[in-house]
Amino acid sequence: MSGICIFIAFSAYEKTRRQAIGVLLQTLFPVLLAVLAYRFLALSPDGPGSWSVVLAIPLATAGIFWAVPYGKKQYWHDLWAFHKPRVPYLDLSRDGNRNKPFMAILPGQSPILGLGLWLAAWPCTLGALAMSFWGVHHVLNTRAVSPMQGLFVLLAPTGVAIFSKGRKLFLIGRRHLGMVVSDARFIRAGTYVLYLRSFEDDRERATLQDQTWRGGGIPHPDGLSGGTIGLVTSSRDEEEHIADAMRPVGQLIAIGAPGEALPFAGAVRMYLPEESWKQPVRELMERARLVALSLGSSVGTVWELSEALRILPPQRLLLMLPGTMSREEYEAIRENVGRTLRALPESDRNQTWRSGTPPPLPDYPLEGPEANPVAGLIHFPEDWESEFTLTPRKDLPWRNLFTQLTRGLRPAFDQLAAYEDRTGRRSG
């Protein structure tokens, strides 16, 4: 009955069915799972070691930790009107593209192997969960009268370890299945988010998102769940969470590192000649709906930031501040970018700058480095007065990088939507 009322209320306020489903997953579904788990516990005739109890607690917990972030994702993706009318980001109809395949395969990439790894990960993870449940059940119901029986105590932690390896199989499989676009001409202007970062960031952001205690980097224990929390909250890496958060604006597109044998999961990748990459990146910036740049001190990243400030309107630029960046590194980036922009001749300066003066980055907004992949977001209103939005830390098990980013992206998305409504343009 409550679900029907939510659907009626959302229809009255012109919200979508997807948003209503997202609200239900965040509210009623966790309550329902908690009630069912309680009923299993209350009605179990065999005491705390019964199969119903061993299964009820971790499965209900995992279901809640899946439902809340997934519901947030459904609501977030339909909260914005960027995708209406929906335009595919790949343009396969142009005459110049017809005789060239739009997809490329990297030397280390095998879609068949990727599909096989993805399929193999399911029995691996599910079998590991069954092993964990069996081990917990055996410990609770059987007295160890011999050393051999005592070995059953190891079933639960062994299952958790195997489960962790199985999750990594999913990730490797997705990397083999990742899309690589052969040429920038296939990407339709105004339908994508260009993701710029230092290539060194790729390996750091290719690890699975793990739960941590607030204020530190200590892994959050799964306890008796046998790793089930990890299945639903940590099954994607950081770049995949960034792609999910940017999805309302468009497909995440990234330039891959030269010589890369296997693409990373998350963004659709394309590869440019190492000796002539600046002009294609500049053109991709101009045709992007949004440019999301992760701050870094490498020469290439500093050039990309300087160029984005030079050619983009302020509403189409978003900067991500890594939590590990120190004050000294940040100040060095500010100085390098400011010096580069001030040296530009008047004719090359951004026409949207006030009085032709390069906009400065804000002061270092953190107390110090912290264990947070993206500590905050910097966006620029029309007057180029930078604004910083802090992203919350993962203080609850169902929070991940996606839920962190959505709370910080609202001001940037609001001003981008207003800019597009006023100008009628999806890029530039």
PDB file of all heavy atoms in Angstrom, residues 308-310 312-315 317 350-354 357 359-360 380-386:
ATOM      1  N   ALA A 308      41.761  23.748 -20.423  1.00  0.00           N
ATOM      2  CA  ALA A 308      40.328  23.741 -20.114  1.00  0.00           C
ATOM      3  C   ALA A 308      39.885  25.107 -19.602  1.00  0.00           C
ATOM      4  O   ALA A 308      38.828  25.628 -19.989  1.00  0.00           O
ATOM      5  CB  ALA A 308      40.023  22.656 -19.081  1.00  0.00           C
ATOM      6  N   LEU A 309      40.696  25.742 -18.743  1.00  0.00           N
ATOM      7  CA  LEU A 309      40.360  27.084 -18.256  1.00  0.00           C
ATOM      8  C   LEU A 309      40.404  28.113 -19.382  1.00  0.00           C
ATOM      9  O   LEU A 309      39.695  29.119 -19.344  1.00  0.00           O
ATOM     10  CB  LEU A 309      41.337  27.484 -17.148  1.00  0.00           C
ATOM     11  CG  LEU A 309      41.189  26.731 -15.814  1.00  0.00           C
ATOM     12  CD1 LEU A 309      42.401  26.985 -14.929  1.00  0.00           C
ATOM     13  CD2 LEU A 309      39.909  27.137 -15.098  1.00  0.00           C
ATOM     14  N   ARG A 310      41.219  27.853 -20.398  1.00  0.00           N
ATOM     15  CA  ARG A 310      41.379  28.811 -21.497  1.00  0.00           C
ATOM     16  C   ARG A 310      40.245  28.758 -22.510  1.00  0.00           C
ATOM     17  O   ARG A 310      39.850  29.797 -23.065  1.00  0.00           O
ATOM     18  CB  ARG A 310      42.711  28.554 -22.212  1.00  0.00           C
ATOM     19  CG  ARG A 310      43.067  29.597 -23.258  1.00  0.00           C
ATOM     20  CD  ARG A 310      44.355  29.257 -23.976  1.00  0.00           C
ATOM     21  NE  ARG A 310      44.192  28.141 -24.891  1.00  0.00           N
ATOM     22  CZ  ARG A 310      43.725  28.258 -26.153  1.00  0.00           C
ATOM     23  NH1 ARG A 310      43.367  29.439 -26.616  1.00  0.00           N
ATOM     24  NH2 ARG A 310      43.629  27.193 -26.927  1.00  0.00           N
ATOM     25  N   LEU A 312      37.077  26.667 -22.284  1.00  0.00           N
ATOM     26  CA  LEU A 312      35.735  26.221 -21.921  1.00  0.00           C
ATOM     27  C   LEU A 312      34.936  27.321 -21.248  1.00  0.00           C
ATOM     28  O   LEU A 312      35.499  28.164 -20.536  1.00  0.00           O
ATOM     29  CB  LEU A 312      35.813  25.021 -20.963  1.00  0.00           C
ATOM     30  CG  LEU A 312      36.330  23.706 -21.531  1.00  0.00           C
ATOM     31  CD1 LEU A 312      36.448  22.676 -20.406  1.00  0.00           C
ATOM     32  CD2 LEU A 312      35.426  23.181 -22.632  1.00  0.00           C
ATOM     33  N   PRO A 313      33.616  27.311 -21.415  1.00  0.00           N
ATOM     34  CA  PRO A 313      32.782  28.138 -20.547  1.00  0.00           C
ATOM     35  C   PRO A 313      32.830  27.565 -19.133  1.00  0.00           C
ATOM     36  O   PRO A 313      33.018  26.346 -18.956  1.00  0.00           O
ATOM     37  CB  PRO A 313      31.380  28.010 -21.162  1.00  0.00           C
ATOM     38  CG  PRO A 313      31.408  26.752 -21.950  1.00  0.00           C
ATOM     39  CD  PRO A 313      32.818  26.573 -22.414  1.00  0.00           C
ATOM     40  N   PRO A 314      32.685  28.383 -18.111  1.00  0.00           N
ATOM     41  CA  PRO A 314      32.897  27.890 -16.739  1.00  0.00           C
ATOM     42  C   PRO A 314      31.959  26.758 -16.338  1.00  0.00           C
ATOM     43  O   PRO A 314      32.352  25.882 -15.547  1.00  0.00           O
ATOM     44  CB  PRO A 314      32.658  29.141 -15.883  1.00  0.00           C
ATOM     45  CG  PRO A 314      31.864  30.065 -16.745  1.00  0.00           C
ATOM     46  CD  PRO A 314      32.310  29.800 -18.144  1.00  0.00           C
ATOM     47  N   GLN A 315      30.740  26.741 -16.874  1.00  0.00           N
ATOM     48  CA  GLN A 315      29.771  25.729 -16.462  1.00  0.00           C
ATOM     49  C   GLN A 315      30.134  24.327 -16.944  1.00  0.00           C
ATOM     50  O   GLN A 315      29.578  23.345 -16.441  1.00  0.00           O
ATOM     51  CB  GLN A 315      28.373  26.092 -16.982  1.00  0.00           C
ATOM     52  CG  GLN A 315      27.801  27.386 -16.426  1.00  0.00           C
ATOM     53  CD  GLN A 315      28.237  28.610 -17.230  1.00  0.00           C
ATOM     54  OE1 GLN A 315      29.138  28.541 -18.068  1.00  0.00           O
ATOM     55  NE2 GLN A 315      27.574  29.734 -16.986  1.00  0.00           N
ATOM     56  N   LEU A 317      33.175  22.907 -16.803  1.00  0.00           N
ATOM     57  CA  LEU A 317      34.416  22.423 -16.200  1.00  0.00           C
ATOM     58  C   LEU A 317      34.168  22.019 -14.754  1.00  0.00           C
ATOM     59  O   LEU A 317      33.585  22.781 -13.974  1.00  0.00           O
ATOM     60  CB  LEU A 317      35.500  23.504 -16.264  1.00  0.00           C
ATOM     61  CG  LEU A 317      36.853  23.137 -15.645  1.00  0.00           C
ATOM     62  CD1 LEU A 317      37.458  21.916 -16.324  1.00  0.00           C
ATOM     63  CD2 LEU A 317      37.815  24.322 -15.707  1.00  0.00           C
ATOM     64  N   ASN A 350      40.434  33.348 -22.650  1.00  0.00           N
ATOM     65  CA  ASN A 350      39.018  32.969 -22.654  1.00  0.00           C
ATOM     66  C   ASN A 350      38.154  34.229 -22.623  1.00  0.00           C
ATOM     67  O   ASN A 350      38.329  35.099 -21.757  1.00  0.00           O
ATOM     68  CB  ASN A 350      38.731  32.089 -21.433  1.00  0.00           C
ATOM     69  CG  ASN A 350      37.422  31.343 -21.569  1.00  0.00           C
ATOM     70  OD1 ASN A 350      36.442  31.843 -22.095  1.00  0.00           O
ATOM     71  ND2 ASN A 350      37.395  30.117 -21.066  1.00  0.00           N
ATOM     72  N   GLN A 351      37.216  34.312 -23.555  1.00  0.00           N
ATOM     73  CA  GLN A 351      36.372  35.499 -23.647  1.00  0.00           C
ATOM     74  C   GLN A 351      35.412  35.628 -22.470  1.00  0.00           C
ATOM     75  O   GLN A 351      34.822  36.692 -22.256  1.00  0.00           O
ATOM     76  CB  GLN A 351      35.573  35.457 -24.960  1.00  0.00           C
ATOM     77  CG  GLN A 351      36.434  35.484 -26.201  1.00  0.00           C
ATOM     78  CD  GLN A 351      37.307  36.726 -26.265  1.00  0.00           C
ATOM     79  OE1 GLN A 351      36.826  37.845 -26.103  1.00  0.00           O
ATOM     80  NE2 GLN A 351      38.610  36.537 -26.474  1.00  0.00           N
ATOM     81  N   THR A 352      35.225  34.531 -21.710  1.00  0.00           N
ATOM     82  CA  THR A 352      34.305  34.587 -20.573  1.00  0.00           C
ATOM     83  C   THR A 352      34.992  35.035 -19.279  1.00  0.00           C
ATOM     84  O   THR A 352      34.324  35.209 -18.251  1.00  0.00           O
ATOM     85  CB  THR A 352      33.662  33.209 -20.331  1.00  0.00           C
ATOM     86  OG1 THR A 352      34.676  32.247 -20.014  1.00  0.00           O
ATOM     87  CG2 THR A 352      32.913  32.740 -21.563  1.00  0.00           C
ATOM     88  N   TRP A 353      36.324  35.210 -19.299  1.00  0.00           N
ATOM     89  CA  TRP A 353      37.014  35.694 -18.103  1.00  0.00           C
ATOM     90  C   TRP A 353      36.614  37.140 -17.827  1.00  0.00           C
ATOM     91  O   TRP A 353      36.476  37.957 -18.755  1.00  0.00           O
ATOM     92  CB  TRP A 353      38.526  35.641 -18.287  1.00  0.00           C
ATOM     93  CG  TRP A 353      39.094  34.258 -18.367  1.00  0.00           C
ATOM     94  CD1 TRP A 353      38.450  33.092 -18.098  1.00  0.00           C
ATOM     95  CD2 TRP A 353      40.429  33.920 -18.746  1.00  0.00           C
ATOM     96  NE1 TRP A 353      39.297  32.031 -18.283  1.00  0.00           N
ATOM     97  CE2 TRP A 353      40.522  32.505 -18.678  1.00  0.00           C
ATOM     98  CE3 TRP A 353      41.549  34.639 -19.125  1.00  0.00           C
ATOM     99  CZ2 TRP A 353      41.688  31.826 -18.978  1.00  0.00           C
ATOM    100  CZ3 TRP A 353      42.718  33.976 -19.421  1.00  0.00           C
ATOM    101  CH2 TRP A 353      42.794  32.580 -19.351  1.00  0.00           C
ATOM    102  N   ARG A 354      36.461  37.468 -16.568  1.00  0.00           N
ATOM    103  CA  ARG A 354      36.132  38.847 -16.211  1.00  0.00           C
ATOM    104  C   ARG A 354      37.341  39.740 -16.428  1.00  0.00           C
ATOM    105  O   ARG A 354      38.431  39.470 -15.903  1.00  0.00           O
ATOM    106  CB  ARG A 354      35.704  38.925 -14.742  1.00  0.00           C
ATOM    107  CG  ARG A 354      34.366  38.268 -14.457  1.00  0.00           C
ATOM    108  CD  ARG A 354      33.915  38.568 -13.046  1.00  0.00           C
ATOM    109  NE  ARG A 354      34.937  38.209 -12.056  1.00  0.00           N
ATOM    110  CZ  ARG A 354      34.836  38.495 -10.764  1.00  0.00           C
ATOM    111  NH1 ARG A 354      33.795  39.165 -10.314  1.00  0.00           N
ATOM    112  NH2 ARG A 354      35.786  38.122  -9.924  1.00  0.00           N
ATOM    113  N   THR A 357      41.036  38.545 -17.043  1.00  0.00           N
ATOM    114  CA  THR A 357      41.955  38.079 -16.008  1.00  0.00           C
ATOM    115  C   THR A 357      41.771  36.594 -15.763  1.00  0.00           C
ATOM    116  O   THR A 357      40.639  36.143 -15.537  1.00  0.00           O
ATOM    117  CB  THR A 357      41.715  38.845 -14.691  1.00  0.00           C
ATOM    118  OG1 THR A 357      41.846  40.248 -14.940  1.00  0.00           O
ATOM    119  CG2 THR A 357      42.710  38.405 -13.622  1.00  0.00           C
ATOM    120  N   PRO A 359      41.128  33.134 -14.080  1.00  0.00           N
ATOM    121  CA  PRO A 359      40.523  32.827 -12.791  1.00  0.00           C
ATOM    122  C   PRO A 359      41.457  31.974 -11.940  1.00  0.00           C
ATOM    123  O   PRO A 359      42.029  30.991 -12.422  1.00  0.00           O
ATOM    124  CB  PRO A 359      39.257  32.040 -13.174  1.00  0.00           C
ATOM    125  CG  PRO A 359      39.601  31.400 -14.479  1.00  0.00           C
ATOM    126  CD  PRO A 359      40.512  32.372 -15.186  1.00  0.00           C
ATOM    127  N   PRO A 360      41.638  32.304 -10.675  1.00  0.00           N
ATOM    128  CA  PRO A 360      42.509  31.493  -9.807  1.00  0.00           C
ATOM    129  C   PRO A 360      41.743  30.304  -9.228  1.00  0.00           C
ATOM    130  O   PRO A 360      40.519  30.345  -9.079  1.00  0.00           O
ATOM    131  CB  PRO A 360      42.905  32.467  -8.702  1.00  0.00           C
ATOM    132  CG  PRO A 360      41.709  33.374  -8.584  1.00  0.00           C
ATOM    133  CD  PRO A 360      41.152  33.511  -9.988  1.00  0.00           C
ATOM    134  N   PHE A 380      32.698  26.083 -11.347  1.00  0.00           N
ATOM    135  CA  PHE A 380      32.831  27.501 -11.626  1.00  0.00           C
ATOM    136  C   PHE A 380      31.511  28.066 -12.129  1.00  0.00           C
ATOM    137  O   PHE A 380      31.040  27.675 -13.202  1.00  0.00           O
ATOM    138  CB  PHE A 380      33.920  27.738 -12.684  1.00  0.00           C
ATOM    139  CG  PHE A 380      35.277  27.236 -12.281  1.00  0.00           C
ATOM    140  CD1 PHE A 380      35.665  25.933 -12.572  1.00  0.00           C
ATOM    141  CD2 PHE A 380      36.165  28.064 -11.607  1.00  0.00           C
ATOM    142  CE1 PHE A 380      36.914  25.467 -12.213  1.00  0.00           C
ATOM    143  CE2 PHE A 380      37.421  27.601 -11.240  1.00  0.00           C
ATOM    144  CZ  PHE A 380      37.795  26.310 -11.536  1.00  0.00           C
ATOM    145  N   PRO A 381      30.891  28.977 -11.392  1.00  0.00           N
ATOM    146  CA  PRO A 381      29.720  29.691 -11.913  1.00  0.00           C
ATOM    147  C   PRO A 381      30.112  30.633 -13.053  1.00  0.00           C
ATOM    148  O   PRO A 381      31.267  30.692 -13.460  1.00  0.00           O
ATOM    149  CB  PRO A 381      29.204  30.458 -10.693  1.00  0.00           C
ATOM    150  CG  PRO A 381      29.826  29.780  -9.512  1.00  0.00           C
ATOM    151  CD  PRO A 381      31.155  29.270  -9.997  1.00  0.00           C
ATOM    152  N   GLU A 382      29.147  31.386 -13.508  1.00  0.00           N
ATOM    153  CA  GLU A 382      29.354  32.206 -14.700  1.00  0.00           C
ATOM    154  C   GLU A 382      30.459  33.241 -14.517  1.00  0.00           C
ATOM    155  O   GLU A 382      31.147  33.600 -15.484  1.00  0.00           O
ATOM    156  CB  GLU A 382      28.042  32.902 -15.079  1.00  0.00           C
ATOM    157  CG  GLU A 382      28.082  33.601 -16.423  1.00  0.00           C
ATOM    158  CD  GLU A 382      26.703  34.077 -16.845  1.00  0.00           C
ATOM    159  OE1 GLU A 382      25.766  33.957 -16.044  1.00  0.00           O
ATOM    160  OE2 GLU A 382      26.573  34.562 -17.987  1.00  0.00           O
ATOM    161  N   ASP A 383      30.661  33.728 -13.298  1.00  0.00           N
ATOM    162  CA  ASP A 383      31.678  34.764 -13.076  1.00  0.00           C
ATOM    163  C   ASP A 383      33.051  34.180 -12.781  1.00  0.00           C
ATOM    164  O   ASP A 383      33.982  34.915 -12.433  1.00  0.00           O
ATOM    165  CB  ASP A 383      31.250  35.674 -11.926  1.00  0.00           C
ATOM    166  CG  ASP A 383      31.033  34.907 -10.622  1.00  0.00           C
ATOM    167  OD1 ASP A 383      31.234  33.667 -10.617  1.00  0.00           O
ATOM    168  OD2 ASP A 383      30.645  35.531  -9.626  1.00  0.00           O
ATOM    169  N   TRP A 384      33.209  32.851 -12.898  1.00  0.00           N
ATOM    170  CA  TRP A 384      34.473  32.154 -12.674  1.00  0.00           C
ATOM    171  C   TRP A 384      34.953  32.238 -11.224  1.00  0.00           C
ATOM    172  O   TRP A 384      36.122  31.954 -10.937  1.00  0.00           O
ATOM    173  CB  TRP A 384      35.588  32.681 -13.596  1.00  0.00           C
ATOM    174  CG  TRP A 384      35.541  32.130 -14.985  1.00  0.00           C
ATOM    175  CD1 TRP A 384      35.102  32.779 -16.096  1.00  0.00           C
ATOM    176  CD2 TRP A 384      35.947  30.828 -15.430  1.00  0.00           C
ATOM    177  NE1 TRP A 384      35.208  31.966 -17.211  1.00  0.00           N
ATOM    178  CE2 TRP A 384      35.720  30.762 -16.825  1.00  0.00           C
ATOM    179  CE3 TRP A 384      36.478  29.708 -14.787  1.00  0.00           C
ATOM    180  CZ2 TRP A 384      36.006  29.640 -17.590  1.00  0.00           C
ATOM    181  CZ3 TRP A 384      36.764  28.584 -15.544  1.00  0.00           C
ATOM    182  CH2 TRP A 384      36.527  28.559 -16.930  1.00  0.00           C
ATOM    183  N   GLU A 385      34.078  32.604 -10.294  1.00  0.00           N
ATOM    184  CA  GLU A 385      34.432  32.564  -8.874  1.00  0.00           C
ATOM    185  C   GLU A 385      34.287  31.112  -8.407  1.00  0.00           C
ATOM    186  O   GLU A 385      33.182  30.618  -8.199  1.00  0.00           O
ATOM    187  CB  GLU A 385      33.524  33.492  -8.058  1.00  0.00           C
ATOM    188  CG  GLU A 385      33.802  34.961  -8.274  1.00  0.00           C
ATOM    189  CD  GLU A 385      35.150  35.380  -7.731  1.00  0.00           C
ATOM    190  OE1 GLU A 385      35.647  34.727  -6.798  1.00  0.00           O
ATOM    191  OE2 GLU A 385      35.720  36.357  -8.256  1.00  0.00           O
ATOM    192  N   SER A 386      35.407  30.445  -8.230  1.00  0.00           N
ATOM    193  CA  SER A 386      35.374  29.006  -7.957  1.00  0.00           C
ATOM    194  C   SER A 386      34.649  28.694  -6.656  1.00  0.00           C
ATOM    195  O   SER A 386      34.729  29.447  -5.674  1.00  0.00           O
ATOM    196  CB  SER A 386      36.809  28.463  -7.896  1.00  0.00           C
ATOM    197  OG  SER A 386      37.562  29.157  -6.927  1.00  0.00           O
TER     198      SER A 386
END
